[in-house]
Amino acid sequence: MTKIRMTTPLVEMDGDEMTRIIWKMIKDELIEPFVDLKTEYYDLGLKERERTHDQVTIDSAEATKRLGVAVKCATITPNAARVEEYGLSEMWKSPNGTIRAVLDGTVFRAPIVVKGIEPYVRTWQKPITIARHAYGDVYKNVELLVPGPGKVELVYTPADGGDEVRATVHDYQGAGIAQGIHNLDDSIASFARASFNYALDTKQDLWFATKDTISKTYDHRFKDIFAQIFDAEYRERFEAAGIEYFYTLIDDAVARVIRSEGGFIWACKNYDGDVMSDMVSTAFGSLAMMTSVLVSPHGYYEYEAAHGTVQRHYDKHLAGEETSTNSVATIFAWTGALAKRGELDELPELVEFAHRLEAATIRAIEDGVMTGDLAAITSIPNPTRVNTHDFIRAVAERL
Ligand code: NAP
Ligand code: MG
């Protein structure tokens, strides 16, 4: 059989532990037999990050700027235990954090919905994608413990020597606390554009919500920037694509999300996105069925699974025991990247292949063949619980 042709390579970011093992199986058995796979390979496994003093992570992010599309395996974020385990010379930073800083993106998380793994919310029939703003607010706050009576103020000192602006936060009669938070117009604008672009890409409505009735300057700024950019740059394209941009209050959004049937993107401020993405992924059934894509305002894409390296399973694997690790989100990271590459390079066969691989994966589960995490929660009677490798074989057969 002639293999499907690629023109531009993908940036391939290899990783650690159990997901590194799954990574190779997916390439060997699900992709390379069918696709003349072209990648620029970066090994982000912890050993190589140590050897290169983490330069490999920066190089892989820079390569993504050059080539446009990356696929990433889960990687260890070192803590004290890992420093000892791997004899690290430094506690290297989270690769995802480094890559995000280089690409300046918004992270979109979407569940893979299959029959037989029912969301806890009965009305949800389609995925709900969360777009989380990843800059500022409470994550870059400044806090004060106020020991006793006194005044806390916000003071703005213009860099050009203009008049100072002051606002009283509170006149304290006794002890208390105070907090200063900030955000930037540029960051909010790139969050807005990434969200609008992703809605167009995936042909889904976009919802955005803040508490602008209470926070009349801060949250209102988010609402205004989204509205200005939508009107100036996206309204016509949304109308042509038959999708909607919808703004409401955050508490109203929460109520509507629960009553909805899904099938939209929910853009969230940093804190809302942190909290709501955990709620939404749990309610859809399994972390192992959650995909994640970093979209930069410049049009770079980095696809990955939302879960980590599944260390507990890797320890079993090293001890020679059988594992039943779910590879679905990692397969979908590859299909997301291949489909995007195919779309950008105008290779319809590559896009079609990615969709077939996704369909074969979903089909295997809906046929009752699944890894232990899903077998434990499925509504399909008598599922066949398979090991890590046999699940990939079951997908290959259907592919
Ligand atoms: P994890 O790898 O996501 O695994 C946590 C638990 O969730 C597993 O022990 C397993 O539960 C279940 N699980 C997750 N993915 C699964 C899959 N594909 N199939 C079946 N079960 C799955 O999180 P962690 O153990 O906290 O972190 C391990 C390492 O991953 C850490 O070094 C962390 O830094 C790294 N990490 C990386 C990323 C990333 O690269 N994006 C994200 C998160 C964490 P059971 O043990 O009950 O089966
Ligand atoms: Mg969270």
Side-chain angles (χ1 to χ4, degrees), residues 19 22 26 109-114 117 280-282 284-292 304-310 313 324-333 361 365 370-375 377 391:
T19 40
I22 288 172
I26 293 171
R109 279 190 164 198
I112 299 151
V113 175
V114 298
I117 310 295
V280 168
S281 66
T282 306
F284 270 104
S286 172
L287 184 60
M289 299 288 281
M290 203 62 161
T291 62
S292 180
E304 64 179 319
H307 61 76
T309 63
V310 213
H313 295 209
S324 182
T325 312
N326 189 332
S327 49
V328 172
T330 308
I331 294 172
F332 274 65
T361 307
I365 299 168
M370 58 191 82
T371 45
D373 57 317
L374 298 185
I377 59 170
F391 180 76

Side-chain angles (χ1 to χ4, degrees), residues 143-152 170-179:
E143 302 185 325
L144 279 183
L145 205 55
V146 179
K151 189 158 73 166
V152 172
H170 194 69
D171 241 325
Y172 291 76
Q173 304 305 310
I177 44 180
Q179 181 184 61

Side-chain angles (χ1 to χ4, degrees), residues 1 12 33 42 60 96 156 295 360 362 366 390 394:
M1 159 186 163
E12 176 183 353
Y42 293 86
S60 73
N96 287 55
Y156 167 63
V295 181
I362 289 171
E366 293 183 347
D390 282 347

